[in-house]
Amino acid sequence: MLLGGKDKPDPAFLEAVVRASGQKTLAHCYQCGKCTAGCPTTFAMDYKPNRIIRMLQLGRKEEVLGSRTIWVCAACFTCSTRCPCNIDVAQVMDSLRVIARREGKTGLGRGVVLFNDLFLLSVRRNGRVFETGLALSFNLRRKTFFRDAELGRFMFTRGKLRFTPDRPKGVRELARLFAKAEEKVEE
Amino acid sequence: MRIGYYPGCSLQSSAREYDLATRLVTRYLGVQLVDIPDWNCCGASAAHSTDPFLAVALPARNLILASEMGLDVTVPCAACYHRLRVAQRELTHDRDLSEKVAEVLGRPYRGTVRIYSLLETMTGIGLEQLAAQIVRPLKGLRVACYYGCLLVRPPGIGCDDPENPESMDRLVETTKAETVSWGYKNECCGGALIFGAREVALRLVRDILRNATGAGAHAIVCACPLCQSNLDLRQGQVNKMFGTNFAVPVFYFPQLLGLAMGLNPRDLGLTTHFVDPQRALRVVGG
């Protein structure tokens, strides 16, 4: 099935992923399946982790970047801990998320990407994550206005919700880090 | 002992009881925590899933601040601990990257800071010394020590054994509570997915709660604000989604230690949990 897909093989993609994830090679994967056996979120994946590695070996860029797998990976590093070929599978997944974002292929990861964007926006503005603001803006943007309303009420009564962000002085330094990151993406 | 303290964002709000208990118990044990002044967010999974430069540069600033104080750092949050450790590795191995970070921040990182998880710092006090402080043994309480993922993985970054960690069990046993042997002690709670892919994360939480109670635990003990928030604050959501009726209290390990040391439960933040720990504590006359 992997040989007959509609996706045209792109060998340069494998090279790009190997480089971005800091791996020596992905060629040594012999499909033992340990990464998949230990993965806690395979039930929600379209392609299991070992198949993603195989698809990368075959240069199947579109299918990999378009998969749901990369967005439901919990980044728990069980796969990386157990791989007999020392492939840091979790790091590969991370690099795939970064590449998918840069190429605007985040269709199946919309919720995760929105959360990550709002999280970083909060860090950029405040230096530290303002949890209350983050949760509210996420719900606003997803139009799920009352999600967690009950939980929010409970947290409020226990003093676990802040109403104002805590802005350390270093926010200005962080602005420079964020600007540099944007510059690097454009390079 | 004096050590730098990097609380992380959650400990200022959703996990403030972890901060309370940590400060109280360490002070009681003679460990002086020195807050890193002006610390910033480590970037967590949002940064490493989005931008490899930010993923290292954000934690790097905190390492620079700590090194300027001349102190090592202890970190209560498993996710922050992981990001600080990864950043240190990257800065040591990637000179290009470390130069870029130094250039933007206007000061270099000399790589001198040792980063410890709070669990390591507490274990480092010595189990006998801790046991000597126990005035209110928690005999009869059976707990499942939950390590989660980023505290112990990947090897070389996490502390303890990545497949069968035991340091928290040893620490908790000084309180005379019994620790259960269970299979999900280092499974992931889905912390990074709780907003973006909630149905996935809640299933992971359900499996952990089920395994802990199945092993006979009255309570879970953890060492991470994301784990605690998923397991405790969202237990009601799990029950609703899966038709279960879990009521398992989830302690932070310094809370349990503090309780056994005779400290005031309110001061340890035990009144802020979603699942009231009082019922579980009744087995020890609490």
Side-chain angles (χ1 to χ4, degrees), chain A:
Chain A
M1 179 190 168
L2 280 179
L3 295 173
K6 51 188 179 310
D7 193 0
K8 241 197 272 154
D10 179 353
F13 181 57
L14 171 63
E15 213 23 67
V17 174
V18 167
R19 210 171 337 106
S21 60
Q23 306 302 294
K24 283 199 187 80
T25 174
L26 295 183
H28 291 169
C29 172
Y30 49 80
Q31 294 295 308
C32 73
K34 264 187 136 176
C35 50
T36 295
C39 176
T41 59
T42 49
F43 65 88
M45 291 176 172
D46 38 11
Y47 302 105
K48 311 300 179 207
N50 62 308
R51 266 186 85 174
I52 291 285
I53 301 295
R54 183 68 186 134
M55 287 154 77
L56 286 171
Q57 288 174 339
L58 296 171
R60 311 204 76 96
K61 179 177 175 179
E62 301 304 319
E63 280 160 307
V64 169
L65 291 185
S67 73
R68 181 166 156 80
T69 301
I70 61 176
W71 302 110
V72 294
C73 159
C76 75
F77 288 91
T78 306
C79 47
S80 306
T81 302
R82 295 180 183 170
C83 177
C85 302
N86 289 319
I87 295 173
D88 190 342
V89 185
Q91 184 56 56
V92 169
M93 293 289 176
D94 225 18
S95 301
L96 291 172
R97 285 188 284 267
V98 172
I99 296 171
R101 277 189 63 114
R102 284 188 187 158
E103 306 211 353
K105 297 195 171 71
T106 54
L108 293 176
R110 222 167 286 147
V112 175
V113 171
L114 176 64
F115 178 74
N116 290 345
D117 281 348
L118 294 171
F119 187 102
L120 290 176
L121 186 65
S122 185
V123 177
R124 187 174 196 158
R125 274 192 193 145
N126 307 308
R128 296 171 189 170
V129 169
F130 176 38
E131 291 179 336
T132 314
L134 174 59
L136 286 176
S137 56
F138 184 83
N139 287 345
L140 269 176
R141 292 281 296 276
R142 299 225 76 184
K143 300 194 171 59
T144 50
F145 306 113
F146 299 106
R147 186 158 105 147
D148 288 340
E150 218 172 301
L151 186 57
R153 232 185 338 263
F154 172 81
M155 290 173 72
F156 170 67
T157 62
R158 295 300 189 276
K160 291 183 163 208
L161 282 189
R162 299 173 63 124
F163 291 102
T164 49
D166 185 33
R167 285 201 182 93
K169 292 193 299 289
V171 175
R172 262 167 290 145
E173 276 177 42
L174 294 186
R176 295 209 298 273
L177 288 180
F178 277 92
K180 183 79 182 172
E182 272 164 11
E183 213 176 280
K184 284 175 73 71
V185 171
E186 279 157 23
E187 263 168 28

Side-chain angles (χ1 to χ4, degrees), chain A residues 173, chain B residues 36-38 60-73 105-110 112-113:
Chain A
E173 276 177 42
Chain B
I36 296 178
D38 205 34
R61 183 174 172 274
N62 298 306
L63 294 176
I64 292 172
L65 294 174
S67 75
E68 286 171 354
M69 292 163 62
L71 291 175
D72 292 332
V73 183
L105 290 177
R107 40 194 176 175
Y109 174 55
R110 295 184 212 288
T112 48
V113 176

Side-chain angles (χ1 to χ4, degrees), chain B:
Chain B
M1 180 171 49
R2 263 179 106 231
I3 191 162
Y5 180 55
Y6 177 81
C9 308
S10 296
L11 272 78
Q12 293 196 314
S13 135
S14 59
R16 85 188 164 87
E17 71 269 37
Y18 192 13
D19 190 59
L20 288 175
T22 299
R23 289 179 192 274
L24 196 62
V25 169
T26 48
R27 195 185 315 137
Y28 190 78
L29 293 168
V31 177
Q32 193 189 344
L33 300 183
V34 186
D35 284 59
I36 296 178
D38 205 34
W39 58 269
N40 61 270
C41 172
C42 74
S45 36
H48 74 68
S49 298
T50 308
D51 187 283
F53 175 74
L54 282 180
V56 173
L58 286 171
R61 183 174 172 274
N62 298 306
L63 294 176
I64 292 172
L65 294 174
S67 75
E68 286 171 354
M69 292 163 62
L71 291 175
D72 292 332
V73 183
T74 190
V75 190
C77 169
C80 299
Y81 169 69
H82 171 80
R83 290 317 307 169
L84 292 176
R85 296 267 298 171
V86 169
Q88 183 155 47
R89 182 186 65 187
E90 298 298 307
L91 291 168
T92 317
H93 290 132
D94 189 340
R95 181 168 297 181
D96 200 34
L97 180 66
S98 77
E99 277 170 9
K100 250 174 218 129
V101 172
E103 182 199 314
V104 181
L105 290 177
R107 40 194 176 175
Y109 174 55
R110 295 184 212 288
T112 48
V113 176
R114 272 176 297 188
I115 305 158
Y116 298 99
S117 64
L118 180 69
L119 184 61
E120 288 173 293
T121 303
M122 298 285 264
T123 313
I125 293 171
L127 298 180
E128 290 90 36
Q129 277 86 333
L130 287 170
Q133 303 292 332
I134 303 303
V135 296
R136 190 186 161 212
L138 304 174
K139 234 183 172 75
L141 182 69
R142 268 199 312 274
V143 299
C145 289
Y146 176 62
Y147 300 78
C149 44
L150 297 180
L151 184 64
V152 296
R153 282 193 297 270
I157 293 292
C159 62
D160 208 334
D161 186 299
E163 296 289 2
N164 187 23
E166 291 191 310
S167 53
M168 200 194 311
D169 290 72
R170 298 293 94 80
L171 195 64
V172 164
E173 282 159 9
T174 63
T175 68
K176 303 290 181 218
E178 185 191 331
T179 57
V180 303
S181 172
W182 63 311
Y184 276 61
K185 58 159 63 167
N186 58 345
E187 286 291 327
C188 177
C189 76
L193 300 173
I194 196 66
F195 273 87
R198 179 161 299 178
E199 63 300 341
V200 178
L202 288 183
R203 187 159 139 176
L204 304 187
V205 175
R206 177 202 62 180
D207 291 351
I208 293 163
L209 294 171
R210 188 165 59 187
N211 198 265
T213 48
H218 301 125
I220 294 174
V221 189
C222 71
C224 171
L226 307 175
C227 297
Q228 206 277 351
S229 132
N230 263 11
L231 293 174
D232 176 62
L233 284 178
R234 301 200 181 267
Q235 217 170 107
Q237 295 178 355
V238 167
N239 285 338
K240 202 179 245 176
M241 186 168 195
F242 296 102
T244 49
N245 53 359
F246 294 115
V248 197
V250 185
F251 294 98
Y252 289 107
F253 74 94
Q255 288 183 309
L256 212 59
L257 288 178
L259 210 55
M261 288 169 186
L263 301 176
N264 184 337
R266 184 174 288 273
D267 295 342
L268 292 164
L270 283 165
T271 49
T272 65
H273 292 219
F274 183 77
V275 178
D276 187 354
Q278 286 310 318
R279 207 173 59 174
L281 291 174
R282 236 169 266 150
V283 300
V284 290

